[in-house]
């Protein structure tokens, strides 16, 4: 069989621990035999980040801006324990945070739906993709405890020296708490554009919800910015694609989600996204079956698994024990990136290969062969539990059948 050739390089960001092991297996068994992989490789493994003073993360983000598409392996975000474990020069920031800031992107998380792993909500038939606005609100707040009676005000002092404005937050008669939040038009606009772009890219409806009836300035600003950008830049494109933009109140959205069938994108303010993404991912089954795409308003895409480096399995692996780590989300990160590269470079064989690899992965699970995490929750009778490598080899076998 002739290998599929690529044009533009794909930005490849390698990572840490168990997912780094899976990364290698996926490339060897599922990609390199079929595709003449053209990647620009960046090693975001913690040792190399430390050795380069984290410059490699910045270089990888810049390469994503240059080429447009990246695939990333899970990486360690250092904490105190990692400082000693890896003898680090510094407690480097989360690579995902660095890359997201440089691309000005929004993260979309979508469950991988497969027969045999049934969502807890029985009417959810298709994935619900959550987009979380990852800037501001309670995550960048200023808060105080108020010890005793006194006034709290919001004061705005214009930089140009014009007159201050102030409003009363509360005239405290006793002790209490207070909090100040902010957000930026720029950031909300980027968030909105990323959401509209991704809806068009995946041909799914877009939902957005806030509490604008109660928060008539703050939340209303989000609603207005979305509405304005939609009217001016996306309305016609949405009509042409046969998709809709739907705005409602957050409580109405939550009620509707429970009765919906899925198959749409739900854009959430920062806090709603934090909370709802955990609810949706647990209801769909497993963190190991969740993909994640970072989409910038300029149309750059970075694909990865939503889970981490699966540290506990890695330590077993290091001791020579057998692991049964689920590689599905990491495989789907590769297929997402390859399909996108195929679309942008007009290589239909590459996109078709990505489809086939996804099909082979799902068919393997549907045939009853799966990793331990899925065997624990599947509705399939007597599943065959495979180790990390054998699961990938089972997918390879299906893939070869499908490509014949
Ligand atoms: P994790 O790697 O997602 O794993 C948490 C637990 O979830 C695992 O111990 C495992 O449960 C289960 N799990 C997750 N992925 C699985 C898979 N593919 N197959 C089977 N089981 C899976 O989260 P963590 O242990 O909190 O974090 C480990 C490291 O990952 C940390 O250093 C963190 O900084 C990093 N992290 C990176 C990213 C990223 O790069 N995007 C995201 C999150 C965390 P059992 O142990 O019960 O089998
Ligand atoms: Mg959360």
């Amino acid at each position: 069989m002739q290998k599929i050739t690529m044009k533009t390089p794909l930005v490849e960001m390698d990572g840490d621990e168990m997912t780094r092991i899976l990364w290698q297996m996926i490339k060897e068994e599922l990609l390199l035999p079929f595709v003449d992989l053209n990647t620009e490789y960046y090693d975001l493994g913690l040792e190399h980040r430390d050795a380069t003073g984290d410059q490699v993360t910045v270089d990888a983000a810049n390469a994503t801006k240059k080429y447009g598409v990246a695939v990333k392996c899970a990486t360690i975000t250092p904490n105190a324990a990692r400082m000693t474990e890896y003898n680090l020069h510094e407690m480097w920031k989360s690579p995902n945070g660095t890359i997201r800031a440089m691309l000005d992107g929004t993260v979309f998380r979508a469950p991988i739906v497969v027969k045999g792993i049934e969502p807890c909500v029985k009417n959810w038939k298709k994935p619900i993709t959550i987009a979380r606005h990852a800037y501001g609100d309670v995550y960048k707040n200023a808060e105080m405890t108020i010890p005793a009676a006194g006034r709290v005000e919001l004061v705005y002092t214009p930089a140009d020296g014009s007159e201050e404005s102030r409003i009363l937050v509360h005239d405290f008669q006793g002790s209490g708490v207070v909090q100040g939040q902010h957000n930026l038009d720029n950031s909300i606009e980027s968030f909105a554009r990323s959401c509209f772009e991704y809806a068009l890219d995946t041909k799914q409806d877009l939902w957005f919800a806030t509490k604008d009836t109660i928060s008539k300035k703050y939340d209303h600003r989000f609603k207005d910015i979305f509405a304005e950008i939609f009217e001016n830049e996306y309305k016609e494109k949405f009509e042409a694609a046969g998709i809709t933009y739907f705005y409602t109140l957050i409580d109405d959205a939550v009620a509707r989600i429970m009765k919906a069938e899925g198959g749409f994108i739900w854009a959430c303010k920062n806090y709603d996204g934090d909370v709802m993404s955990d609810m949706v991912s647990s209801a769909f089954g497993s963190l190991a079956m969740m993909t994640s795409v970072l989409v910038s308003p300029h149309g750059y895409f970075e694909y990865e698994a939503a889970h981490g480096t699966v540290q506990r399995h890695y330590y077993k692996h290091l001791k020579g024990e057998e692991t049964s780590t689920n590689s599905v989300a990491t495989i789907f990160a590769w297929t997402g990136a390859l399909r996108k590269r195929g679309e942008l470079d007009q290589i239909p064989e590459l996109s078709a290969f990505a489809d086939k690899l996804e099909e082979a992965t799902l068919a393997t699970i549907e045939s009853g062969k799966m990793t331990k995490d899925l065997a624990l929750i599947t509705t399939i009778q007597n599943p065959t539990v495979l180790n990390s490598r054998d699961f990938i080899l089972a997918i390879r076998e299906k893939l070869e059948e499908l490509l014949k």
Side-chain angles (χ1 to χ4, degrees):
M1 207 191 82
Q2 214 177 346
K3 284 196 199 182
I4 300 162
T5 51
M6 295 175 63
K7 289 179 195 157
T8 316
L10 176 62
V11 180
E12 174 185 353
M13 307 183 197
D14 208 342
D16 288 299
E17 299 194 311
M18 200 59 209
T19 41
R20 189 179 179 100
I21 310 280
L22 298 178
W23 195 259
Q24 205 50 45
M25 289 182 193
I26 291 167
K27 282 176 69 178
E28 271 164 25
E29 298 296 340
L30 302 178
L31 303 174
L32 291 169
F34 310 100
V35 180
D36 200 0
L37 264 191
N38 178 9
T39 70
E40 198 164 290
Y41 179 86
Y42 292 87
D43 184 0
L44 266 56
L46 186 51
E47 277 118 339
H48 195 240
R49 271 182 280 150
D50 194 49
T52 61
D54 209 24
Q55 184 59 35
V56 66
T57 308
V58 173
D59 293 345
N62 279 325
T64 308
K65 285 187 176 176
K66 179 173 171 194
Y67 297 119
V69 189
V71 59
K72 180 180 169 292
C73 180
T75 46
I76 292 169
T77 299
N79 56 13
R82 301 295 198 172
M83 292 294 290
T84 9
E85 185 183 354
Y86 286 85
N87 197 16
L88 299 177
H89 292 96
E90 246 182 71
M91 202 186 284
W92 307 109
K93 286 197 200 129
S94 146
N96 289 48
T98 303
I99 296 165
R100 193 171 61 217
M102 286 182 65
L103 301 185
D104 190 18
T106 295
V107 174
F108 295 80
R109 272 180 161 215
I112 298 157
V113 177
V114 58
K115 270 188 229 111
I117 312 294
E118 306 303 327
C120 305
V121 180
K122 65 180 185 310
N123 44 284
W124 288 1
K125 304 281 182 241
K126 296 181 203 157
I128 295 172
T129 301
I130 292 206
R132 171 179 173 188
H133 182 214
Y135 179 82
D137 301 354
V138 69
Y139 303 86
K140 275 216 187 300
N141 70 359
E143 45 182 40
M144 279 183 195
T145 50
I146 304 299
R151 285 164 63 85
V152 175
E153 295 178 328
L154 281 182
V155 182
Y156 166 57
T157 313
D160 66 4
S162 56
E163 207 184 322
E164 271 185 6
S165 53
R166 57 177 66 217
I167 58 165
L168 179 71
V169 175
H170 192 66
D171 193 355
F172 284 86
Q173 302 303 312
S175 59
V177 283
V178 69
Q179 179 183 73
Q181 295 187 19
H182 79 278
N183 221 300
L184 308 172
D185 285 358
N186 266 345
S187 174
I188 303 168
E189 285 162 16
S190 291
F191 175 48
R193 288 201 177 89
S194 295
C195 291
F196 291 129
E197 287 291 327
Y198 194 61
L200 282 172
D201 189 57
T202 58
K203 297 228 173 354
Q204 298 184 88
D205 292 343
L206 176 68
W207 294 24
F208 182 46
T210 72
K211 194 72 184 173
D212 67 274
T213 47
I214 298 297
S215 173
K216 292 192 170 65
K217 293 219 164 70
Y218 197 106
D219 277 20
H220 216 288
R221 189 87 191 129
F222 282 78
K223 178 185 179 179
D224 289 345
I225 287 175
F226 266 71
E228 206 177 292
I229 292 179
F230 180 66
E231 259 326 292
N232 296 338
E233 300 171 32
Y234 290 98
K235 198 171 177 201
E236 275 141 40
K237 291 182 192 164
F238 267 50
E239 271 165 21
I243 58 174
T244 57
Y245 168 57
F246 172 59
Y247 177 86
T248 185
L249 279 177
I250 185 68
D251 25 6
D252 181 49
V254 170
R256 284 171 188 258
I257 296 276
M258 295 311 289
K259 298 201 168 153
E261 191 182 68
F264 52 86
I265 298 163
W266 182 14
C268 292
K269 285 184 64 206
N270 209 349
Y271 176 83
D272 299 336
D274 183 353
V275 176
M276 292 303 168
S277 64
D278 287 330
M279 185 192 75
V280 168
S281 71
S282 109
F284 269 104
S286 163
L287 187 60
M289 295 291 279
M290 194 61 86
T291 59
S292 167
V293 195
L294 177 75
V295 181
S296 87
H298 322 284
Y300 313 130
F301 294 81
E302 184 230 80
Y303 295 82
E304 67 170 328
H307 60 75
T309 60
V310 212
Q311 183 182 18
R312 199 182 64 82
H313 295 209
Y314 181 61
Y315 287 173
K316 276 178 73 179
H317 170 83
L318 287 182
K319 281 194 265 170
E321 289 171 32
E322 191 171 77
T323 59
S324 180
T325 314
N326 189 335
S327 46
V328 172
T330 307
I331 293 170
F332 273 61
W334 274 101
T335 53
L338 290 172
R339 183 185 297 109
K340 190 82 215 163
R341 203 57 276 166
E343 276 168 34
L344 294 176
D345 292 347
Q346 291 167 357
I347 313 172
E349 314 86 81
L350 189 60
S351 301
F353 170 78
D355 292 344
K356 290 274 184 239
L357 178 49
E358 290 185 359
E359 206 182 316
T361 305
L362 299 181
T364 303
I365 297 170
E366 282 166 14
S367 76
K369 294 178 184 169
M370 57 192 78
T371 44
K372 191 174 158 195
D373 57 310
L374 296 183
L376 292 171
I377 56 170
T378 186
T379 52
I380 294 172
Q381 299 292 309
N382 306 314
T384 310
V385 178
L386 298 178
N387 65 34
S388 306
R389 175 173 288 281
D390 287 347
F391 178 63
I392 289 172
L393 291 177
I395 296 171
R396 163 118 187 222
E397 216 175 287
K398 275 269 187 266
L399 179 61
E400 280 175 352
E401 274 171 38
L402 287 175
L403 290 173
K404 244 185 231 149

